[in-house]
Amino acid sequence: MKLGWFLRNDVNNLWCQVLKGKYARQDFSANVLVAKPHDSPIWKVVAEIWPHLVEGELWAIGDGRLVDVWEDRWLNNGVRLASTDLNTA
């Protein structure tokens, strides 16, 4: 799970860069990663646990300083409270 968390949070460790460079075939915000038969065992495990990692992920608000109530995505489908069109007026 920790390996998946590092990949999901875009940690720039060398091993993360190698795995992403060699095996990442889609965006890491996706709920499913694809592992092909010839991929490394590590990547296959990451792809297997990925849905569980995404499902168990949550956003800790903390003190709220990094939260933008209007523009942050609060729901899985990407819905925001404000539209970017409203900000141009």
Side-chain angles (χ1 to χ4, degrees), residues 6-48:
F6 279 118
L7 289 168
R8 178 95 171 151
N9 289 289
D10 203 29
V11 174
N12 287 321
N13 292 341
L14 179 59
W15 60 268
C16 287
Q17 293 174 8
V18 169
L19 283 176
K20 287 178 186 179
K22 186 162 182 156
Y23 300 112
R25 297 173 182 95
Q26 64 276 341
D27 183 15
F28 278 90
S29 64
N31 290 342
V32 177
L33 293 183
V34 176
K36 295 187 177 181
H38 60 275
D39 288 346
S40 76
I42 292 174
W43 186 255
K44 290 177 185 176
V45 169
V46 168
E48 184 179 324

Side-chain angles (χ1 to χ4, degrees), residues 5 7-8 12 18 30 32 44 46 50 60-61 67 69 72 75 78 81 84 86 88:
W5 184 89
L7 289 168
R8 178 95 171 151
N12 287 321
V18 169
V32 177
K44 290 177 185 176
V46 168
W50 198 259
I61 299 295
V67 177
V69 174
D72 287 337
L75 303 174
L81 293 177
T84 53
L86 295 176
T88 60

